[in-house]
Amino acid sequence: MIQTYLRVKSAPPKDEQHPDTFGFLTILNDSEILLESPEDSHAFRVSKARTSERVQFSRILKPTASQLDVFAETCAPLLMDSLLSQHDSLLFTLGVSGAGKTFTLFGPPDRPGVAYITMGALFHAIRDREASFPVAESLRSRLDKCKILEASKYLADKHQNATFALPPASFYDTFSFDVVDHSYQYAVYLSFAEIYNDRIFDLLEKASFFGHRRALNLKKSATSDKKAVNGIQKVFVGNVAEACRLIAVALQLRKSTSTKSNAVSSRSHLVLCAELYQLQPKTGEISSCEINLVDLAGSERTRSAETSGLLLREGASINKSLLALGQCLEALRRKHDGKQHVVPFRQSKLTELLFHSGHLTGTARTSMLVNIDPLGSFDENAQVMRYSANAREIMLPPVPVEMGNGHMDSASATPRAGTPLGSPAPHSASRPPSVNVAALMAQLEAVQLENKRLRELLAEADSEMVNLEYVVREQMTTEMESRVREVERIFLDRLCEESVQGLEYTDHKLDMMAKWMRQLQEDNAFKDEKIAELEKLLSETQDQVEEQGAEAARLAQQLQRQHQEATRRSSRKLSYEDQQAIREAHTLRTKRKLWPEKAVLEEDGMELSDDTEVLSISAPPPPKPVLMPRNEDVPMDL
């Protein structure tokens, strides 16, 4: 059965009368809690009343529990089993976003989490028996080949000098962290796998220029039926300080961002794998076990997190993988009940990694640490509780035990009572008496030895293939780097040539521009001279015009005076003539009244006949005065 632990995030109690009630959660005892739906929850709106639910765990850690308490309850049993029995162990955290999973597993330097305390306990257990890097590599070369880094060299250029407040040695002495055989040496390798957007990446791999890393796949191990991440880098750590610094560097490379529901939200699942190798330098015997710490990203709802774009796609991928994990746990529970036979672990890379590595279906010791926020969303935290309920009902296969003949067998294959170890089974009595049991046992041992030898040859062949692949990759990498350098050199040469050509072209353009500027200045000087001449000519012309205007004004005044004088003389002459005409007309009229017309005519010397008709002659009208126009063209003699 998977061990499930619950850690309640720090929160003030409801009141003094209910010191064990935090938000919607009430701690009933050390292994049972009560969930009550608040009025703002979806469960309350659906049922239109408060609903309560009891959930059981292996152990409940209250908000007052420290990081050391969490390690002692959850990870210490797994570590002891791995040290004593060389069994794989798995501890994974589960909870909504912002519930404190990353804090529990890692934590800050002043309050280090379970991972740092585990490293301290591991190196405390193997103290004074740590294998050096050359010795560890010489013995480990017979196992899976992969790229091995040395922590001291890897951390040389990393700026990570934080001091972690690890517990003293007296704290680790309270546990049975002891190794049986002191003749062995031990080597610890750390690797960090990140599952981001349903793809597996190596956190320690150097990213490309654009910040991308290559995705890795799962490959079957040469020494076991498990599958591991192919191509992941493993770092040899020689002490607890290097291990803690390496974990801190890996955490800085992990993808995280800020959302509405959590200020620092992890956007990927992190798998920390600590491999412990037990080495026998004299005989060359080697064995190993894995301690895996998995920090799952928190489930989140888009409405509460208010994500969009890339964050929305990341949240969808996280929720999809957690849903696949829940379906696999439910399928495992139903499988043990005989109701289901297929577990859909291939739906996501997370479940594929956990199942192929044998953590949920093999012989690994598995524990689940559930983190809950009593002041957060009730519906999301209640969904997490269903994971733990399914996990508690999963019955894992029995752990193999070592038999007297040195072979491993499961507890279910233990011989019946009364049957000596190594003797044939009870049904062998039905065999013909001519069968030689000793010969069969000898043949069986020979076949087993041959099988073991073939397995070793196959492992060596796989190792050689992996080594050859590694050498080929190194050669290809070297050749590619040389070609890249050559391309960079050619590119730089061409860039220099283009720069020189550009400078020459710029100088030519500058010379042309200077020539144009000089020509323009000369043209401007010529134009300035012409403009000065024109201005001088214009000034002279204006002077002449002014003189001519003054002369014309003088002539006009003279003409006007002459015209006025002529007009005066003409007016006097006309007036005199008019007066003469008026006097003559008056005299003629007077004569006509006094004498007849005929007599008048005769008096004038005219001879008239008898038949001459005398007409009445009237005086002519006086002449009208002639008004001369005021014109400059009038002749001077007028």
Side-chain angles (χ1 to χ4, degrees):
M1 181 172 64
I2 296 179
Q3 299 295 319
T4 58
Y5 302 92
L6 174 69
R7 186 181 190 184
V8 183
K9 189 177 181 180
S10 298
K14 185 176 182 181
D15 49 37
E16 296 180 358
Q17 298 179 356
H18 303 84
D20 292 335
T21 300
F22 307 92
F24 54 79
L25 180 144
T26 301
I27 301 177
L28 301 178
N29 49 53
D30 293 341
S31 61
E32 191 174 10
I33 63 171
L34 178 66
L35 298 177
E36 293 182 353
S37 59
E39 295 181 357
D40 59 346
S41 63
H42 179 71
F44 182 87
R45 291 192 296 268
V46 172
S47 60
K48 298 181 180 180
R50 287 185 177 273
T51 59
S52 59
E53 182 180 359
R54 291 174 178 263
V55 185
Q56 292 185 351
F57 294 90
S58 302
R59 185 73 175 177
I60 296 177
L61 302 170
K62 296 183 179 181
T64 56
S66 63
Q67 301 279 57
L68 298 180
D69 297 334
V70 176
F71 167 78
E73 291 289 343
T74 61
C75 197
L78 300 177
L79 184 58
M80 286 190 294
D81 185 71
S82 297
L83 289 173
L84 297 176
S85 306
Q86 293 292 301
H87 292 153
D88 294 341
S89 302
L90 169 65
L91 173 65
F92 64 95
T93 60
L94 190 67
V96 300
S97 180
K101 302 179 299 300
T102 305
F103 175 82
T104 300
L105 202 58
F106 298 102
D110 56 341
R111 286 182 295 172
V114 174
Y116 297 107
I117 301 175
T118 302
M119 293 297 104
L122 181 59
F123 280 96
H124 178 79
I126 63 174
R127 61 188 182 278
D128 301 330
R129 289 185 294 277
E130 298 91 341
S132 62
F133 182 70
V135 174
E137 284 304 287
S138 64
L139 296 178
R140 192 186 175 281
S141 60
R142 293 178 298 173
L143 299 179
D144 294 337
K145 282 288 184 180
C146 61
K147 188 175 182 180
I148 302 297
L149 304 176
E150 193 172 358
S152 59
K153 296 181 180 179
Y154 179 80
L155 297 173
D157 56 344
K158 302 296 187 299
H159 302 285
Q160 181 55 251
N161 299 320
T163 303
F164 297 89
L166 296 177
S170 58
F171 171 78
Y172 299 119
D173 291 336
T174 58
F175 305 96
S176 300
F177 295 143
D178 196 9
V179 182
V180 178
D181 196 344
H182 290 232
S183 62
Y184 284 87
Q185 293 185 3
Y186 297 88
V188 180
Y189 294 85
L190 297 183
S191 60
F192 301 87
E194 181 185 33
I195 303 177
Y196 174 72
N197 282 344
D198 205 30
R199 292 188 297 174
I200 304 176
F201 299 96
D202 183 7
L203 266 182
L204 301 183
E205 181 183 3
K206 186 177 180 181
S208 64
F209 178 79
F210 299 100
H212 301 299
R213 297 191 300 266
R214 61 186 180 94
L216 307 177
N217 53 9
L218 297 175
K219 183 179 180 180
K220 186 177 180 181
S221 176
T223 57
S224 63
D225 295 334
K226 299 187 301 182
K227 286 187 176 182
V229 181
N230 183 31
I232 193 169
Q233 300 177 99
K234 298 181 181 181
V235 183
F236 173 82
V237 289
N239 51 61
V240 64
E242 292 180 351
C244 293
R245 288 182 58 196
L246 186 63
I247 294 175
V249 169
L251 289 178
Q252 292 178 353
L253 300 175
R254 186 183 183 185
K255 294 185 180 297
S256 61
T257 188
S258 176
T259 62
K260 188 70 175 180
S261 58
N262 190 5
V264 183
S265 176
S266 301
R267 313 308 295 174
S268 62
H269 307 299
L270 176 61
V271 180
L272 166 60
C273 179
E275 295 184 60
L276 177 64
Y277 286 88
Q278 181 176 310
L279 314 173
Q280 178 56 265
K282 296 181 180 179
T283 62
E285 181 183 354
I286 184 172
S287 60
S288 64
C289 64
E290 293 182 3
I291 304 170
N292 292 273
L293 304 176
V294 182
D295 181 22
L296 299 179
S299 60
E300 62 183 19
R301 294 189 177 182
T302 306
R303 181 181 303 175
S304 60
E306 297 183 4
T307 56
S308 61
L310 179 60
L311 296 181
L312 180 61
R313 188 165 68 251
E314 292 173 351
S317 177
I318 292 171
N319 293 338
K320 179 182 176 182
S321 60
L322 294 178
L323 177 62
L325 178 60
Q327 293 174 350
C328 291
L329 295 177
E330 174 65 17
L332 280 176
R333 185 185 65 81
R334 294 175 63 87
K335 182 177 182 180
H336 293 303
D337 294 341
K339 300 179 181 179
Q340 187 171 347
H341 300 285
V342 179
V343 180
F345 59 88
R346 296 184 183 274
Q347 294 183 359
S348 71
K349 289 295 183 181
L350 173 63
T351 54
E352 189 175 359
L353 176 61
L354 295 180
F355 277 78
H356 273 311
S357 58
H359 293 306
L360 295 178
T361 56
T363 61
R365 304 286 187 180
T366 304
S367 296
M368 180 172 65
L369 179 57
V370 180
N371 292 80
I372 187 172
D373 183 10
L375 302 181
S377 173
F378 171 82
D379 301 311
E380 295 181 10
N381 285 279
Q383 179 66 26
V384 173
M385 296 302 168
R386 298 184 181 92
Y387 281 88
S388 61
N390 291 334
R392 289 187 72 254
E393 298 179 7
I394 296 175
M395 302 299 296
L396 295 179
V399 180
V401 297
E402 187 173 355
M403 301 178 61
N405 56 1
H407 300 288
M408 301 299 293
D409 197 2
S410 63
S412 60
T414 305
R416 297 182 180 179
T419 304
L421 190 64
S423 61
H427 65 273
S428 62
S430 60
R431 295 177 182 175
S434 59
V435 177
N436 189 348
V437 178
L440 290 177
M441 293 299 296
Q443 292 179 2
L444 179 61
E445 291 180 357
V447 170
Q448 291 177 348
L449 292 175
E450 182 66 17
N451 190 14
K452 182 179 180 181
R453 188 180 67 82
L454 292 177
R455 284 182 179 274
E456 292 178 353
L457 291 177
L458 180 60
E460 292 179 359
D462 291 340
S463 299
E464 290 296 330
M465 292 296 295
V466 173
N467 190 17
L468 181 61
E469 180 182 2
Y470 179 75
V471 172
V472 172
R473 287 181 179 275
E474 288 292 333
Q475 293 177 355
M476 293 179 63
T477 303
T478 304
E479 184 178 358
M480 181 60 68
E481 290 178 352
S482 63
R483 292 187 179 183
V484 169
R485 286 194 296 269
E486 181 66 20
V487 171
E488 289 179 351
R489 187 188 62 78
I490 295 174
F491 175 77
L492 291 176
D493 293 342
R494 292 182 179 178
L495 183 61
C496 293
E497 293 177 1
E498 292 179 358
S499 301
V500 172
Q501 293 177 0
L503 291 175
E504 294 177 354
Y505 179 77
T506 304
D507 294 339
H508 176 68
K509 286 293 183 182
L510 290 175
D511 294 339
M512 294 292 295
M513 188 174 294
K515 181 179 179 181
W516 293 339
M517 289 295 296
R518 288 193 299 270
Q519 185 177 358
L520 183 60
Q521 290 177 355
E522 293 176 358
D523 295 341
N524 290 337
F526 177 75
K527 291 179 181 179
D528 292 339
E529 294 178 358
K530 292 295 183 181
I531 290 173
E533 293 178 0
L534 292 175
E535 288 180 349
K536 182 178 180 182
L537 182 61
L538 180 62
S539 178
E540 294 176 355
T541 305
Q542 289 179 350
D543 296 339
Q544 293 177 2
V545 169
E546 290 178 356
E547 293 177 357
Q548 292 178 359
E551 182 67 21
R554 187 180 62 78
L555 292 176
Q557 291 178 358
Q558 184 178 1
L559 288 175
Q560 186 177 4
R561 285 195 302 268
Q562 293 177 359
H563 175 68
Q564 290 177 355
E565 184 67 25
T567 302
R568 255 189 328 268
R569 286 195 305 267
S570 177
S571 298
R572 287 195 300 269
K573 183 179 181 180
L574 289 176
S575 178
Y576 176 77
E577 291 178 354
D578 291 341
Q579 292 177 1
Q580 291 292 331
I582 291 171
R583 282 195 297 270
E584 290 178 357
H586 182 70
T587 303
L588 181 61
R589 184 175 182 86
T590 304
K591 289 179 177 181
R592 285 178 179 176
K593 288 182 178 181
L594 296 178
W595 298 279
E597 291 80 355
K598 186 176 179 181
V600 173
L601 294 175
E602 290 179 353
E603 186 177 358
D604 293 333
M606 296 182 63
E607 296 181 355
L608 296 176
S609 61
D610 296 336
D611 56 354
T612 302
E613 184 177 3
V614 180
L615 299 177
S616 175
I617 301 175
S618 60
K624 296 181 180 180
V626 178
L627 299 179
M628 296 300 292
R630 295 183 179 180
N631 193 348
E632 298 178 356
D633 298 333
V634 176
M636 299 296 296
D637 55 353
L638 294 178

